[in-house]
Amino acid sequence: MTQENATVPVLPPKAPSHGPLAWAKANLFNGWFNTILTLLLLWLAVRLVPGILEWALADAVWSGEADACRADGAGACWAFVAEKARFILFGTYPFEEHWRPILAMLVVVAMLLASADRRLWGRPLLLIWPAGLGIAGLLMFGGVLGMTYVETTYWGGLPLTLTLSIIGLAFAFPLGVLLALGRTGNLPVVKALSVAYIEIIRGVPLISVLFMASVMFPLFLPQGVSIDKLLRAQLGFILFAAAYLAEVVRGGLQAIPKGQFEAADALGLSYWQKVRLIVLPQALALVIPPLVNTFIGFFKDTSLVIIIGLFDLLSSTKAALTDPAWRGFYKEAYLFVGLIYFAFCYAMSRYSQYLERDLAKGRRR
Amino acid sequence: MEEPIIQLQGVNKWYGEFHVLRGVDLDVAKGERIVICGPSGSGKSTLIRCINRLEEHQAGTIRVHGVELTNNLKNIDAVRRDVGMVFQQFNLFPHLTVLENCTLAPIWVKKTPKAEAEAQALRYLERVRIPEQAHKYPGQLSGGQQQRVAIARSLCMNPSVMLFDEPTSALDPEMVKEVLDVMIDLAEGGMTMLVVTHEMGFAKSVADRVIFMDRGEIVEQAAPEEFFTNPKSERTRTFLGQILNH
C-alpha cells in the first residue's frame, strides 16, 4: 500500500518528439499513402494558388470604370464591388439615410457581442434586448426626431437579412422550446397539437410557407386591411424555424435522466421551475451543436425571401449585377457577399465551440 | 399519544396487471427511525416513493402531517416541502455547483434570501463533512461525497421526515461507511427516517423498528433485536438467511 515497498518503479511518461520536422514526419509522411497524398496536394497548391493570387490581387482593378476591368489581362474587378457596395449592403434604402441602418446594425452587433458573455446572461440581457431592438427599429423606420419615415418596402441588403434572421430566431427559439416541451410532456391535447404542428410544418418547404404568407394570406384578410409584407415573411419564417428548433430541443430533453426530474419533484420545485432551472439548462447545453447548425442554416435560408420580392443581401447583389454598365462581374459580387455570409456563420460556429467547452467545464459525469 | 407523522391505510398500487403494493398499513411516529428491507421487487422502494408522491397510489389513504395525498397539487407541494428524499443514484444536478445544488430549492421554493440559504447550506455541508467541496461540481466528487451532498441538499429544506431509497447500493464498498456515518448522525439528532436498505448493521444499531416486505405486503415488523434474533415468519427467516450468511 505504501510507496516504499513498491516493486515497480514509477516511470515518467515517454517524451514526445518536438519540432516542425518531427511533426511533418508524423503527420504528412507517415507511410507511403500519406506521402503520395502530401506530394499531390503540394503540386496542386503550386499550380493553383499563384493564379488565384494574381487574379485576386496583382492584376485586380481596384477603382475606376467598367472599361478598366474589361481591359486585356485585367484580374478581379473590385472596382465593381466598390461602386456597388452601398447598394449591395443597403438595397433600396434611401441613399442619404444609410447612416441609420449602419447605426442600427452596430447596436445589434454590440448586443450580440454582449450576449456572448455568459456573465451577463439572465436579467440584464432581458432588459438590453427589447431596448436595443427598439432603438434599431426606430432608426430603421424613422418618422420621429427629424428622421424621414422609411417604409419596409425600401429596406434591403444586410439590415434586412439581419432583421429576418435575428428577430426570426429570437422568436422561433422560445416557440420551439415550448413545442418541444409540449411534445415530450404528458398533457395529451397539448402533445397532439405540438406533434401535429411540428409534422405539418416540417412536411412543407420554406418557399411555400413564404409564398403562402405573401400571396395567399392577404386573400383571407377583409377588404382594406393589409399587413406589411416584411412582417408576413417574418411570421412565416418564425413559424417555420420553430418546428425545426423544437425537434432539436426535444433531442436534448429526452437525454435528461429520469432521476433529475424526480430529484426536482422531491425538492418541491414547480413544473416551470423544474423546466427552467434543471431541465432546460442541461438539455440546451447538450444540443448546442445541432442548435447552432439550425441557426446557421436559417441565417442562410433568409435569402429565399427573394421569391416574394424582398431585397435581402443576396437579392440586392443580384439586382446590382443587372446594371447594364457593369454586366458580368458575378465572381466578384458573389465572393463579396459570400465573405459576409461566411463571417457571420463562422462567428456563430466558433462561438458555439467556445460555449460547449465552457459549459462542459467541471461538469463531466 | 401524539398523532403519527405519516399514516398509511390500506395502500394499494398496481403497475399494469402487477399488484405492487397490497393493502399496506403503516404509522410512523415523530422521531421514529424505520428500516425497510425485503427482496427486490417486494415494493419497498415504491412504498416510500408513494409517501412524497413520486409514485401515485390507487387505493387507500396516505397522510403526512395530516395532509392527505390526492391529486390536489397544493397538498402534494406541501408534503414534498416537508419530506426530504435521498436516491440510490444521488440525482444531484450536474450543471450546478455543490452549493447551488443545496440552495436551489430553499431559494426558489421557500423564497429564502440567497445569503441566508448559502449560510444554511454551508452549515449542512459541514454537518455531512464536506464544506471544502462547496464550489465544485458534482462530477468532480466521489460517489460517497455525492451522496453526502444529496443528503445535505435535502436537509436544506428543513424537512421533518427523510426518505432514503437504497442510499448506499450504488456506492463502492469503501464509501458506504462515510454515508452511513452521516445517516447515524442524523438519526441521533432526532430526525424521522424511513430507510430502504440492506445494511443490516445500520438497522441493528440505529433503527427503532425493522419492517420486512415481500410481494407488496408488510410481512413482519419488530424492534431490531426481536427481528434479527427471533423472526416469526418463514419468509423473513429465509430472507435473513440469504443476506446475513454471504
Side-chain angles (χ1 to χ4, degrees), chain B residues 98-99 102 121-131 134 149 152:
Chain B
V98 164
L99 189 65
C102 293
L122 284 172
R123 272 203 309 280
Y124 281 119
L125 287 172
E126 195 102 33
R127 188 156 171 203
V128 300
R129 294 159 209 157
I130 34 173
V149 172

Side-chain angles (χ1 to χ4, degrees), chain A residues 20-363:
Chain A
L21 269 181
W23 180 87
K25 191 155 183 278
N27 294 289
L28 300 178
F29 301 100
N30 53 335
W32 60 271
F33 183 68
N34 277 358
T35 306
I36 291 176
L37 273 185
T38 304
L39 293 176
L40 210 64
L41 287 171
L42 270 177
W43 176 77
L44 259 180
V46 169
R47 288 294 302 273
L48 292 178
V49 173
I52 292 172
L53 287 180
E54 224 166 89
W55 176 81
L57 300 172
D59 295 344
V61 180
W62 297 91
S63 60
E65 292 301 313
D67 293 341
C69 292
R70 295 211 169 87
D72 276 345
C77 184
W78 301 125
F80 166 77
V81 173
E83 169 80 17
K84 295 292 181 189
R86 284 180 67 170
F87 182 77
I88 292 175
L89 285 176
F90 302 109
T92 51
Y93 203 90
F95 195 78
E96 322 73 57
E97 306 287 334
H98 280 181
W99 62 273
R100 282 158 53 182
I102 291 176
L103 214 55
M105 286 196 293
L106 284 179
V107 169
V108 169
V109 169
M111 288 196 299
L112 286 175
L113 290 177
S115 312
D117 189 341
R118 275 184 62 208
R119 283 168 300 180
L120 293 178
W121 286 12
R123 205 154 292 156
L125 284 184
L126 286 180
L127 298 174
I128 292 174
W129 272 93
L133 287 180
I135 293 171
L138 209 67
L139 284 165
M140 290 298 288
F141 278 109
V144 285
L145 302 171
M147 295 186 287
T148 49
Y149 175 65
V150 180
E151 273 184 67
T152 57
T153 36
Y154 294 110
W155 293 18
L158 187 56
L160 188 78
T161 296
L162 290 181
T163 304
L164 280 169
S165 44
I166 291 175
I167 307 253
L169 292 172
F171 281 90
F173 182 61
L175 185 57
V177 170
L178 288 179
L179 284 167
L181 288 170
R183 187 167 188 170
T184 50
N186 39 19
L187 299 172
V189 177
V190 175
K191 187 174 183 149
L193 286 175
S194 306
V195 171
Y197 179 86
I198 291 167
E199 296 304 337
I200 288 170
I201 293 284
R202 282 205 308 173
V204 173
L206 177 55
I207 287 198
S208 58
V209 172
L210 290 174
F211 208 66
M212 285 282 282
S214 81
V215 181
M216 303 285 285
F217 181 65
L219 299 178
F220 297 106
L221 289 177
Q223 202 85 52
V225 177
S226 77
I227 297 179
D228 186 89
K229 183 155 78 174
L230 176 59
L231 181 60
R232 278 183 272 140
Q234 183 78 78
L235 281 175
F237 198 71
I238 289 170
L239 297 178
F240 191 80
Y244 280 81
L245 291 170
E247 285 299 275
V248 172
V249 174
R250 181 165 71 100
L253 293 177
Q254 287 176 343
I256 305 299
K258 200 166 132 252
Q260 293 288 307
F261 293 86
E262 290 182 350
D265 283 340
L267 286 168
L269 295 177
S270 72
Y271 174 78
W272 288 110
Q273 286 172 339
K274 183 168 65 178
V275 164
R276 197 159 76 77
L277 302 168
I278 308 300
V279 179
L280 281 182
Q282 296 186 60
L284 294 181
L286 282 174
V287 294
I288 287 173
L291 207 54
V292 172
N293 198 25
T294 313
F295 279 10
I296 289 177
F298 276 105
F299 178 71
K300 292 180 295 184
D301 281 352
T302 53
S303 55
L304 285 174
V305 294
I306 193 170
I307 63 135
I308 57 170
L310 289 173
F311 277 80
D312 78 309
L313 187 57
L314 199 63
S315 331
S316 61
T317 308
K318 272 190 186 143
L321 282 165
T322 58
D323 182 345
W326 291 91
R327 274 267 155 87
F329 298 109
Y330 298 102
K331 277 178 284 188
E332 293 83 348
Y334 286 123
L335 261 175
F336 177 60
V337 287
L339 272 177
I340 297 178
Y341 276 110
F342 178 78
F344 279 95
C345 295
Y346 189 64
M348 281 193 259
S349 159
R350 290 309 301 228
Y351 178 63
S352 86
Q353 288 171 34
Y354 152 78
L355 198 59
E356 238 181 291
R357 271 198 310 273
D358 199 45
L359 289 173
K361 261 183 213 158
R363 293 193 191 169

Side-chain angles (χ1 to χ4, degrees), chain B residues 17-239:
Chain B
E17 289 292 298
F18 180 58
H19 199 173
V20 59
L21 293 178
R22 311 181 181 207
V24 174
D25 295 313
L26 177 66
D27 282 357
V28 181
K30 190 167 161 40
E32 197 175 10
R33 290 147 303 196
I34 295 180
V35 164
I36 304 174
C37 58
S40 83
S42 59
K44 52 197 193 303
S45 283
T46 308
L47 180 70
I48 66 165
R49 287 161 62 89
C50 280
I51 294 173
N52 67 349
R53 195 70 167 188
L54 288 185
E55 305 279 355
E56 216 173 294
H57 60 286
Q58 283 129 5
T61 57
I62 300 178
R63 274 177 220 276
V64 180
H65 262 161
V67 178
E68 184 175 351
L69 279 171
T70 57
N71 283 327
N72 184 331
L73 290 177
K74 271 220 172 81
N75 286 4
I76 295 175
D77 278 348
V79 168
R80 282 178 178 170
R81 237 174 263 204
D82 198 35
V83 177
M85 185 168 221
V86 175
F87 299 88
Q88 184 178 356
Q89 301 293 344
F90 330 136
N91 296 345
L92 292 175
F93 305 127
H95 62 301
L96 302 176
T97 63
V98 164
L99 189 65
E100 288 166 340
N101 264 279
C102 293
T103 56
L104 184 90
I107 289 175
W108 291 92
V109 179
K110 286 196 160 170
K111 314 289 175 208
T112 313
K114 192 175 174 212
E116 198 180 306
E118 281 180 355
Q120 175 190 253
L122 284 172
R123 272 203 309 280
Y124 281 119
L125 287 172
E126 195 102 33
R127 188 156 171 203
V128 300
R129 294 159 209 157
I130 34 173
E132 72 284 359
Q133 312 285 5
H135 296 285
K136 288 196 182 166
Y137 286 96
Q140 296 165 302
L141 306 184
S142 72
Q145 290 173 322
Q146 291 195 45
Q147 192 61 298
R148 285 185 282 149
V149 172
I151 293 173
R153 177 176 70 178
S154 281
L155 292 175
C156 281
M157 286 295 279
N158 300 311
S160 47
V161 181
M162 286 281 284
L163 308 173
F164 292 84
D165 189 3
E166 305 208 26
T168 56
S169 303
L171 295 175
D172 290 334
E174 75 270 24
M175 293 170 184
V176 169
K177 187 176 177 299
E178 65 188 58
V179 171
L180 288 180
D181 284 347
V182 167
M183 290 168 62
I184 291 169
D185 176 55
L186 207 57
E188 283 164 358
M191 176 65 76
T192 311
M193 293 164 72
L194 271 83
V195 185
V196 172
T197 186
H198 292 137
E199 294 294 332
M200 290 303 127
F202 175 80
K204 278 178 195 161
S205 61
V206 175
D208 298 311
R209 187 163 27 138
V210 181
I211 291 178
F212 174 68
M213 283 185 74
D214 191 18
R215 289 176 223 153
E217 295 169 311
I218 291 181
V219 176
E220 184 162 352
Q221 48 182 321
E225 315 85 76
E226 172 80 9
F227 182 84
F228 289 109
T229 52
N230 189 17
K232 289 188 186 57
S233 105
E234 183 53 44
R235 279 195 271 176
T236 315
R237 273 196 291 276
T238 315
F239 176 74

